[in-house]
């Protein structure tokens, strides 16, 4: 009411659509709170809203435009496209679950690291950590939506120390909750041991690799 709130910035804004419906519904309460703040602010001191994302398809653009328009002004879209030349994509399909699991294990054993193995469910992440350990991979961490802040921090610290540190991780198993704000420039391989729910999710997760400009190998393997 004093006009002190001048700007609201929401990074990774695509999550309002992707997560807000079923997971962390608080994402979709933000527009109402922002609208209340706008209505209560004095004239000339209304807050502005900035939404940021590296991956926005038409559906989340339409949703965000509807949810976050305040006052009489409609949301303005500023965007740019860039084609990344580093990734090499390989897609494999398997009719049987056992065959898919074997193919993922082979890919993990052959492809360069640091490596991210993406799954969809928390229980899948737990199962894959166990499979990898049983297959002889000991430098494996996991981050899911149920990981505590301390667990996330520990995994990231261990992962960043993977360049020769015997206590480091060179493989991280994660759900889509892993990677937001990720600052790991030399990820060499991304493997999806699942079928991502949306092309946005797939593109986001592939984009967490090769940020140092080196070649990357995002893999996609699914059961038919």
């Amino acid at each position: 009411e004093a006009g002190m709130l001048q700007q609201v910035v929401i990074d990774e804004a695509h999550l309002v659509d992707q997560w807000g419906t079923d997971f962390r519904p608080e994402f979709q309460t933000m527009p109402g709170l922002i609208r209340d703040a706008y209505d209560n602010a004095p004239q000339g001191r209304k807050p502005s809203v900035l939404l940021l994302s590296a991956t926005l398809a038409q559906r989340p653009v339409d949703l965000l435009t509807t949810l976050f328009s305040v006052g009489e002004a409609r949301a303005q879209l500023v965007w740019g496209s860039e084609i990344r030349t580093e990734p090499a994509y390989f897609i494999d399909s398997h009719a049987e679950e056992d065959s898919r699991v074997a193919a993922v294990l082979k890919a993990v054993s052959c492809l360069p690291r640091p490596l991210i193995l993406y799954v969809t469910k928390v229980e899948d992440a737990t199962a894959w950590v166990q499979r990898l350990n049983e297959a002889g991979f000991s430098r494996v961490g996991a981050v899911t939506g149920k990981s505590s802040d301390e667990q996330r921090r520990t995994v990231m610290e261990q992962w960043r120390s993977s360049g020769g540190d015997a206590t480091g991780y060179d493989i991280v198993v994660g759900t889509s909750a892993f990677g937001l704000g990720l600052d790991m420039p030399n990820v060499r391989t991304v493997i999806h041991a699942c079928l991502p729910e949306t092309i946005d999710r797939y593109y986001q997760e592939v984009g967490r690799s090769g940020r140092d400009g080196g070649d990357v190998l995002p893999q996609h393997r699914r059961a038919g």
Side-chain angles (χ1 to χ4, degrees):
E1 291 179 349
M4 301 300 291
L5 179 63
Q6 285 294 286
Q7 189 172 57
V8 179
V9 181
I10 300 174
D11 197 12
E12 307 288 0
H14 59 279
L15 295 182
V16 174
D17 177 36
Q18 293 184 11
W19 283 7
T21 302
D22 300 313
F23 177 55
R24 294 184 181 172
E26 296 84 359
F27 274 94
Q28 291 192 7
T29 67
M30 290 187 293
L33 297 172
I34 292 171
R35 200 168 293 114
D36 287 345
Y38 185 91
D39 291 341
N40 287 318
Q43 290 298 326
R45 300 286 294 172
K46 300 288 188 182
S48 61
V49 182
L50 178 63
L51 309 174
L52 303 169
S53 176
T55 308
L56 278 176
Q58 193 60 51
R59 169 180 154 157
V61 167
D62 292 342
L63 179 68
L64 294 172
T65 299
T66 299
L67 290 178
F68 286 94
S69 291
V70 292
E72 300 297 323
R74 296 289 294 170
Q76 298 180 359
L77 179 64
V78 180
W79 66 279
S81 295
E82 181 177 352
I83 297 177
R84 293 187 60 192
T85 59
E86 305 96 335
Y89 294 85
F90 299 90
I91 299 176
D92 204 354
S93 181
H94 300 270
E96 302 295 334
E97 176 71 6
D98 289 346
S99 174
R100 181 179 66 89
V101 168
V104 172
L105 286 172
K106 182 178 180 180
V108 171
S109 67
C110 295
L111 294 173
R113 304 167 199 155
L115 177 153
I116 303 174
L117 176 63
Y118 273 114
V119 296
T120 297
K121 300 177 181 178
V122 174
E123 52 266 33
D124 293 337
T126 302
W128 268 107
V129 169
Q130 182 176 345
R131 286 190 189 109
L132 291 169
N133 290 158
E134 291 173 350
F137 300 97
S138 58
R139 295 156 54 93
V140 181
V143 175
T144 71
K146 291 187 177 181
S147 300
S148 66
D149 290 343
E150 180 61 29
Q151 288 172 325
R152 289 169 182 263
R153 185 162 46 251
T154 299
V155 169
M156 288 307 301
E157 289 173 353
Q158 294 291 326
W159 202 33
R160 289 194 181 103
S161 68
S162 61
D165 189 331
T167 63
Y169 296 139
D170 52 19
I171 300 171
V172 174
V173 181
T175 62
S176 56
F178 176 62
L180 300 178
L182 177 65
D183 181 22
M184 181 71 170
N186 64 329
V187 176
R188 293 276 72 87
T189 303
V190 173
I191 299 177
H192 281 86
C194 63
L195 185 64
E197 305 96 309
T198 66
I199 191 66
D200 289 356
R201 177 192 162 185
Y202 182 61
Y203 189 76
Q204 277 273 334
E205 292 168 353
V206 167
R208 287 163 190 155
S209 57
R211 296 185 177 185
D212 56 0
D215 291 339
V216 295
L217 294 168
Q219 307 283 315
H220 174 55
R221 300 181 181 273
R222 65 182 179 87

